[in-house]
Amino acid sequence: MFEQIIISGFGGQGALFAGQLLTYAGLEEDREVAWLPSYGPEMRGGTARCTVTVSDEPIGSPITDTPSAVIALNPPSLEMFEPRVLPGGLLIVNSSIAKEEVKRKDIRSLRIPATDMARDEFANERMANMILLGALVSMTRVVTLDSVMTALQKNLPQRRHHLLEPNRIALQKGWDIAQQASKD
Amino acid sequence: MAKVLMKGNEAIAEAAIRAGCDGYFGYPITPQTELLEYMSRRMPELGRAFVQGESEIASINMVLGAAAAGKRAMTSSSSPGVSLKQEGISFLAGNELPAVIVNIMRGGPGLGNVQPSQSDYFQATKGGGHGDYFPIVLAPSTVQEAIDFTILAFELADKYRNPAMILGDGSIGQIMEPVELPEVESKPPDKPWAVTGCKGREKNIIRSLYLLAGPLEARNVILQKKYREIEANEQRHAEFMLEGAEMVIVAYGTTGRVAQTAITRARDEGMPVGLFRPITLYPYPKDAISSLVEQARVFLVLEMSAGQMLEDVELAVKGTVPVEFQGWLGGRVPTPSEVTQTIKEIRTKYLK
Amino acid sequence: MPEGEVVFARPAALEDTPTHYCPGCTHGIIHRLIGEVIDELGIREITVGIAPVGCAVLAYHYFNFDTVEAAHGRAPAVATGIKRVSPENVVFTYQGDGDLAAIGTAEIVHAANRGENITVVFVNNAVFGMTGGQMAPTTLPGQVTTSTPTGRDVKVDGYPVKVAEILAQTTGAAYIARRTVTQPKYVRSCKKAIKTAFKTQLAGLGFALVEVLSTCSTNWGMSPMEALRWLDENMIPYYPLGDYKVIDEVKALP
């Protein structure tokens, strides 16, 4: 297995944390992993994105111009990464904010109004990243959902542990949406 | 041992602690600041020295003081900050003091940007400050290597009484990867030359001033003898798919990793290409490159610079085989597809 | 051998060697005072001195204890590095006015402000000595130097830097004083201040600095006697002698 996943959005949408969680989950499964963030002044308010590599072999380049999957949390991310997804790859879009339809036909895609759902169901827009991550895990099986849950338990800072349960529910929610979509 | 996920900057800090770093002195600058922050937490917990200096200049001179006192000392910065440290690095070399300097390079010249770059190669490997000297320079390409080379840097610095530098680009500092943190048997050698108070011995003087030409010449002869010894003993590199490679890519750090992926793809398409990845940038692994001219029909040097290491490859190859170059400037990082494309072009030009 | 008591000898902290200082230079007196203080405090074997860039760069030939030579202006940073990893050592810097008050202002201000537990002997002779008498930050208004050939014009060159006054403003400083060595009474007072500065460090009370007004007859173009008089008449009015900061714990030192 060799997956390179880009998670991209505005600063504060949790792109970097979602990527870290996925990376920790890969580590739980004893895979080779790498998490490479964008960094610098843009981290504050601008674009925040990371590339997560999960592989069975030692990882060469942690950088990719052809990701196997992308989570686009906002319109600029959709615009930037839709053309780059590997043919046959996956594009998951936060359609609450990124309203454009996915144009490419040679990739799998799923639009989830994650920010709206997070606000309506968790009263916390910042859960959107977990909903989208749950969907990504479901559609790629890059790691198991169990591994993500374990990684969450281990790596969510103690002071945030009250968010453990909502995060779990959000991940499960995303997973279920993707399952349902694949049946439709 | 269980692997843990660590960011490059934090891993270097933890490795330094395990290597017995007694004093860390630094100044914030992106993209290495996590290293300073990590040290600010851990060093006081361990009863060791941490000072956030008023500048990079002050910080490197604090390192010089701690090294003169016989302790293991370290500083870290990024390109513009390392420029400021050059005065102190020259003094470390002139005084023959061991210390470790970390440069997590960003784009330049001037303030440039904070994106990954390899454009400080000349500064790092050719001396950087004034005078005839070389710091030992180690170039990690993964977080694990960043850890291992940091420990090695402390050992080599002590062994040769010389500054040693970890030279990584911004992504080495920022990337998170699983690593094994080794338990280090920290055994610095005896340092009878250190300024510890002269109880029971003659006084020690640590200096680099020799007012007359004769004594300074003699001093330089000693230093140069040491550099020849380092060059003879410490050249290091890694190889990837070099067997049967007619095209030899030379790249270090992150560029080396990107090349590795491109080479894997090229090999799948039957192209005879392999990677020579320098680990020591000083001493440059020129002997191993020279020995490759029998096998290689073309060398391809890849750097996130306008062609700095290129000159060392050309010196090692001595005109026997063509040396091609591709560089990425201003903080842009190569992608595997770009490298694959270049490999194809070079093949068409030389291997058909 | 007639019996007798030794009433005067070279301090053990000084080497038995002639210095390179010009006739009439007061560096020699200041070295001697430091040597005497170190002997009297019994700290020669734990002391580490930092030599500056400037005339006193060769101080390590004259002091008989461990020394490090620092880059121009960086002595307080070097001292910080040593003291932080080896707090059991007594660490002091010996710096001139170009070194401390020009190129090394950042280092000295921040060492003082951190309350770094080191001692500084700051020799102010109002001129760059070693490079041949150029304007120093402490050169007096109107004073002729090789880089102010018509005298220091404050409109062009700015004003002389008052180091003791400036550093006394730092919260971290424990003891800041200005002295000179042009007359026996001043020499005695200077030694006492230097001793207090070392005792401040030994008691762990933080940053201590003694500014010592000093002559440079060669670069001032005067005889040694003229230079001593010129200092008394011109420098002391601009740089008044006295204690600029003495925290209570220092006052209480035995």
Side-chain angles (χ1 to χ4, degrees), chain A residues 51-85:
Chain A
T51 306
V52 177
T53 308
V54 184
S55 170
D56 291 328
E57 303 289 326
I59 295 165
S61 174
I63 296 142
T64 181
D65 43 12
T66 51
S68 53
V70 168
I71 295 175
L73 283 151
N74 65 357
S77 302
L78 175 59
E79 192 182 334
M80 181 183 288
F81 292 110
E82 183 181 345
R84 299 193 194 172
V85 177

Side-chain angles (χ1 to χ4, degrees), chain B residues 228-287:
Chain B
R228 297 301 90 75
E229 191 189 334
I230 292 171
E231 286 160 14
N233 296 337
E234 306 298 344
Q235 295 182 28
R236 288 169 166 83
H237 74 279
E239 299 180 355
F240 180 73
M241 292 190 168
L242 265 189
E243 206 178 308
E246 295 173 28
M247 183 194 310
V248 174
I249 292 181
V250 187
Y252 70 96
T254 296
T255 312
R257 293 182 71 157
V258 175
Q260 203 167 310
T261 298
I263 287 164
T264 308
R265 290 184 195 169
R267 282 278 183 173
D268 287 346
E269 294 178 31
M271 288 185 264
V273 53
L275 174 69
F276 182 95
R277 182 166 62 82
I279 285 172
T280 51
L281 300 181
Y282 179 85
Y284 197 71
K286 56 188 175 192
D287 299 347

Side-chain angles (χ1 to χ4, degrees), chain C residues 126-127 132-136 139 142-152 219:
Chain C
V127 76
Q134 295 77 29
M135 180 184 71
T139 294
Q143 188 182 338
V144 172
T145 72
T146 58
S147 59
T148 52
T150 57
R152 181 175 187 154
N219 286 307

